[in-house]
């Protein structure tokens, strides 16, 4: 029996690794996208998800790149915009029920929203005209918009903008002429999804109504075959270890005549 214990442990470890669930897509180097299909999907500066830590409303119908997921706290850490077209990349947090996991979105991932100041004004550190003034925005100044935020305190809409690819802050909408990018060309589900998405995995993407990618089903079948190829020998080993041994008994049948 003592010799069988190491084999039993080995078989158990093999089964444990063979039957473990697939790793989330975050761990596989593949980008996972979240689509904004709510009118007020807020991007937060940190994972407190507190009102005072809001960046802005993400543009409806566009995307973010999901970096990680905390299901207990109910948020995704995301990446918005990139170092292109006068923007800088922003890392923030979004409530998980404000995004829909989406596979293979088409370009553009992020909207390009140019704006021109049609009057002089200030850029503020917060969406509040009593907050710190960062710099003076001159008439005809060109800016790029990330998103908007309504300030109940001022009863004003502010836009979070970037200036000269390095100065970012809030500018009142009243002094900006903005070019609306329109909706993203990817079809919007009807009705839009309302349930919070689960942690993404390679086989759990809604895909926005797109068909399964070629080869994806073959990969799943191959994975099942590999798991079976590992599990079956392991089960056989376990069976052989605990199979009761057969002892042979020589039984001679005889009758009363033989006894004489």
């Amino acid at each position: 029996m003592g010799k069988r214990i190491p084999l039993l442990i080995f078989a158990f470890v093999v089964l444990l690794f063979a039957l473990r669930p697939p790793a989330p897509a975050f761990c596989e180097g593949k980008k996972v996208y979240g689509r904004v299909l709510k009118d007020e999907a807020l991007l937060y500066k940190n994972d407190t998800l507190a009102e005072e830590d809001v960046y802005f409303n993400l543009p409806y119908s566009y995307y973010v790149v999901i970096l990680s997921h905390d299901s207990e706290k109910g948020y995704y850490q995301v990446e918005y915009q990139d170092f292109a077209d006068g923007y800088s990349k922003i890392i923030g947090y979004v409530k998980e029920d404000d995004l829909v996991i989406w596979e293979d979105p088409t370009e553009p991932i992020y909207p390009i929203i140019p704006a021109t100041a049609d009057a002089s004004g200030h850029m503020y550190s917060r969406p509040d005209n009593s907050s710190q003034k960062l710099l003076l925005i001159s008439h005809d100044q060109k800016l790029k918009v990330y998103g908007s935020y309504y300030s109940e305190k001022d009863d004003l809409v502010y836009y979070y903008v970037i200036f000269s690819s390095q100065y970012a802050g809030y500018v009142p909408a009243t002094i900006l002429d903005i070019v609306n990018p329109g909706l993203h060309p990817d079809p919007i589900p009807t009705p839009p999804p309302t349930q919070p998405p689960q942690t993404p995995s390679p086989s759990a993407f809604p895909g926005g109504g797109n068909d399964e990618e070629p080869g994806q089903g073959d990969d799943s079948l191959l994975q099942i075959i590999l798991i079976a190829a590992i599990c079956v020998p392991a089960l056989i080993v376990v069976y052989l270890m605990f199979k009761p041994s057969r002892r042979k008994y020589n039984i001679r049948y005889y009758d009363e005549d033989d006894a004489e």
Side-chain angles (χ1 to χ4, degrees), residues 109-122:
I109 301 300
Y110 315 111
I112 298 174
I113 311 175
T116 303
D118 53 14
S120 297
H122 288 93

Side-chain angles (χ1 to χ4, degrees), residues 6 18 20 38 41 51 59 65 91 95 110 114 123 129-131 143 166 169 174 205 209 214 222 233-234 247 253:
R20 66 178 179 177
K38 293 184 68 174
E51 185 176 354
V65 175
I91 305 295
K95 294 179 181 178
Y110 315 111
M123 176 185 288
N129 58 22
S130 63
S131 64
L143 310 107
Q166 55 182 327
T174 52
F205 292 99
L222 179 60
R247 296 182 181 178
Y253 292 92

Side-chain angles (χ1 to χ4, degrees), residues 170-189:
Y170 297 89
V171 175
T174 52
I175 70 168
L176 294 180
D177 181 19
I178 296 176
V179 178
N180 191 327
L183 295 177
H184 194 281
D186 285 344
I188 296 175

